Amino acid sequence: MSEVENFIANIENDAKRDDALVLLTLLTKASSYAPCLHGTIIGFGQYHYKYESGREGDASVIAFSPRKQNLVLYIMPGFSNYAALLDKLGKYKLGKSCLYINKLADIDLEVLTEIATLSVQEMKNKYPCS
């Protein structure tokens, strides 16, 4: 069992664990990257960023975290290009690059897949990703 699979298997809430498994499959397919565990965040792919301030680092191209309160998807380019899709997504809340979902039953998985796929493509166009 991989580190990611082990992490998901140890989620106490059955529904949250099941949703995490669905997201694992969905984001693996949408991104074409293998999952990697970073603390409590499951990331896919990697890119290097450098801000005008000189700060730089590495981050996942797309990621999610099955938190106790909700599922958090990290859509790195943000959501400004996805307004029409968000209108069709279902019940969620947004942060700058975070999509908060209580449970996958609240959203349209086909729309989520489209957002994830477009987000990954946008990141690949902007940064060299591995």
Side-chain angles (χ1 to χ4, degrees):
M1 183 178 295
S2 75
E3 186 179 33
V4 171
E5 291 167 328
N6 189 49
F7 172 73
I8 292 173
N10 285 308
I11 296 172
E12 291 181 15
N13 180 293
D14 292 343
K16 187 77 64 188
R17 184 174 52 252
D18 291 345
D19 282 355
L21 287 170
V22 170
L23 282 176
L24 179 66
T25 300
L26 186 150
L27 293 178
T28 299
K29 287 180 182 176
S31 71
S32 299
Y33 293 116
C36 185
L37 191 61
H38 306 280
T40 61
I41 297 175
I42 299 168
F44 301 81
Q46 188 174 356
Y47 72 100
H48 185 79
Y49 61 86
K50 185 172 185 177
Y51 297 129
E52 289 181 19
S53 66
R55 180 174 178 223
E56 61 183 290
D58 297 309
S60 296
V61 174
I62 194 166
F64 80 96
S65 182
R67 297 185 182 165
K68 285 188 181 192
Q69 192 168 22
N70 48 37
L71 299 162
V72 183
L73 275 81
Y74 300 93
I75 306 293
M76 301 317 291
F79 300 97
S80 60
N81 294 334
Y82 309 121
L85 288 169
L86 290 171
D87 287 343
K88 300 186 288 185
L89 182 60
K91 187 178 173 184
Y92 64 89
K93 291 182 182 177
L94 287 182
K96 185 174 181 179
S97 292
C98 298
L99 179 67
Y100 300 95
I101 301 167
N102 289 330
K103 58 186 179 292
L104 291 184
D106 290 342
I107 62 162
D108 184 322
L109 288 179
E110 287 185 27
V111 174
L112 181 62
T113 300
E114 189 171 354
I115 290 170
T117 302
L118 290 171
S119 165
V120 169
Q121 191 57 54
E122 187 173 343
M123 293 301 293
K124 286 180 178 180
N125 290 342
K126 188 173 182 177
Y127 299 97
C129 300
S130 57

